[in-house]
Amino acid sequence: MIKDIATPIRTQEILQKHGFSFKKSLGQNFLIDPNTLRNIVSQATLTKKTGVIEIGPGIGALTEHIARSAGKVVAFEIDGRLLPVLEDTLSPYDNVTIIHQDILETDLLAIIEEHFADYEDVVVVANLPYYVTTPIIMKFLLGKVPITGMVIMMQKEVADRITARPGTKAYGSLSIAIQYYMDAEVAMIVPKTVFMPQPNVESAVLHLTRKEKAPAEVIDEDFLFQVSRGSFIQRRKTIFNNLQASLQDGKAQKDKIINAFESIGMDPGRRGETLSIEEFAKLSNALYADFYVKKSNINQ
Ligand code: SAM
């Protein structure tokens, strides 16, 4: 029986052996509780026919649990100091590939083609670096990367925003952007004590599952997200006021905005937080002809 990496004693031993010191700027909070790791992996329901992409293996605590259940793990680690550590800690597993690369700079479609052509499905399992949680998720979703799901640890506050329903304080453009593609639920809340060093915030594991069908027909997904982001720039203002300020030439073209609301029978005095994704889709379709401006980068 191989000893788990993630016990507090073994983690300390590994860190000392390699003279490793944590870099806060890279979101390095390592898991030191095998139970939490088992729970994360059981959420992902892995089989030997599943390929897994992991972001930020650290010293391999989660990687080894994934490797025991999945067919293959490809893990991206930005911090070169961790490569010799991982070579050491993960030497018992022959189904792990570590790639020294920033996940945000990675061609994910090429990775899937190269590593996972023979697997039935590909999922993401990760204890994410919290400073880049949203860009990482959106890279997979907007990039149309063919994954079936994600089981990912993040700041609880971000997980709450992602899973929020209309009419709640946490509901906003992030909820819409992610729920457009995925069913989202918080699988568990995780206390600070299972990390080394402990983060300043509460954490949660989020389970995202690909929706079989988009919740609404949209002319352009980027524009849907532009409209939903623009509708929340000042939460207490009406959606009409926010759109005037956020759409290109919105102030000069008030009448066109009003026409769009009229054409779909929607009250422009509503607030963004009351609209469902389907309603945002209708609104963005109605505004599209007059206001669409191509934007290449979506920063949530
Ligand atoms: N998986 C390990 C665990 O659970 O103990 C470590 C998780 S730690 C929260 C996040 C890891 O992501 C760190 O190892 C960090 O170096 C790495 N990381 C940070 N930014 C990254 C990026 N842009 N691409 C790939 N890895 C990154």
Side-chain angles (χ1 to χ4, degrees):
M1 177 71 188
I2 304 164
K3 270 199 288 172
D4 277 358
I5 294 167
T7 62
I9 291 175
R10 179 130 191 258
T11 298
Q12 280 292 7
E13 279 172 8
I14 294 166
L15 297 177
Q16 262 167 21
K17 178 175 168 190
H18 292 272
F20 183 82
S21 54
F22 294 101
K23 258 195 199 155
K24 218 178 165 185
S25 62
L26 291 179
Q28 290 179 339
N29 301 96
F30 295 172
L31 281 164
I32 49 162
D33 177 38
N35 267 332
T36 304
L37 291 161
R38 273 190 286 275
N39 287 338
I40 294 173
V41 170
S42 77
Q43 278 294 325
T45 51
L46 304 175
T47 74
K48 289 290 166 190
K49 292 178 176 159
T50 311
V52 176
I53 296 177
E54 188 194 355
I55 298 122
I59 60 169
L62 177 57
T63 323
E64 77 170 348
H65 281 263
I66 303 168
R68 288 173 190 160
S69 306
K72 181 172 182 180
V73 193
V74 175
F76 292 89
E77 178 52 64
I78 200 171
D79 187 348
R81 299 173 308 151
L82 287 165
L83 297 193
V85 185
L86 288 161
E87 203 168 308
D88 179 13
T89 57
L90 296 176
S91 59
Y93 304 94
D94 61 5
N95 58 344
V96 177
T97 303
I98 304 291
I99 301 181
H100 179 206
Q101 201 169 324
D102 180 344
I103 190 72
L104 296 176
E105 301 292 325
T106 301
D107 180 345
L108 293 168
L109 295 175
I111 289 292
I112 293 201
E113 214 176 287
E114 183 185 341
H115 291 273
F116 297 118
D118 300 333
Y119 290 84
E120 269 179 9
D121 59 342
V122 181
V123 299
V124 173
V125 182
N127 170 17
L128 291 176
Y130 292 177
Y131 74 106
V132 275
T133 300
T134 312
I136 291 174
I137 303 174
M138 293 319 292
K139 180 176 170 83
F140 279 88
L141 301 186
L142 295 175
K144 308 272 181 241
V145 182
I147 51 163
T148 51
M150 299 177 117
V151 176
I152 40 184
M153 176 93 78
M154 63 186 63
Q155 215 174 310
K156 179 177 174 297
E157 183 260 330
V158 179
D160 287 341
R161 286 201 280 131
I162 290 174
T163 53
R165 314 302 302 173
T168 62
K169 257 197 188 156
Y171 182 68
S173 54
L174 185 61
S175 333
I176 293 156
I178 292 181
Q179 291 176 36
Y180 180 77
Y181 298 104
M182 309 294 266
D183 288 320
E185 77 177 299
V186 172
M188 57 180 173
I189 310 287
V190 181
K192 296 175 187 179
T193 48
V194 301
F195 298 92
M196 182 191 291
Q198 294 189 13
N200 298 326
V201 293
E202 291 297 330
S203 299
V205 174
L206 186 75
H207 194 165
L208 299 177
T209 317
R210 169 89 53 198
K211 282 193 156 105
E212 299 222 330
K213 195 171 163 282
E217 299 254 327
V218 290
I219 299 173
D220 186 283
E221 289 170 10
D222 277 1
F223 189 61
L224 164 67
F225 303 140
Q226 282 176 37
V227 169
S228 65
R229 266 200 317 280
S231 302
F232 286 98
I233 46 173
Q234 292 203 41
R235 291 187 73 92
R236 283 179 310 150
K237 286 200 169 171
T238 66
I239 191 164
F240 174 65
N241 282 335
N242 276 331
L243 286 175
Q244 265 196 89
S246 63
L247 290 173
Q248 181 120 319
D249 297 330
K251 285 229 158 53
Q253 310 233 44
K254 270 188 205 175
D255 293 349
K256 286 190 174 159
I257 303 180
I258 291 287
N259 285 346
F261 276 98
E262 272 176 6
S263 72
I264 55 169
M266 188 181 287
D267 175 1
R270 286 172 67 179
R271 299 220 176 98
E273 69 186 43
T274 69
L275 267 69
S276 65
I277 298 182
E278 292 79 356
E279 288 178 306
F280 270 113
K282 270 192 197 164
L283 183 60
S284 75
N285 287 345
L287 291 164
Y288 182 82
D290 289 318
F291 293 99
Y292 175 67
V293 179
K294 184 150 184 51
K295 288 199 179 136
S296 55
N297 244 336
I298 299 238
N299 292 311
Q300 290 297 319

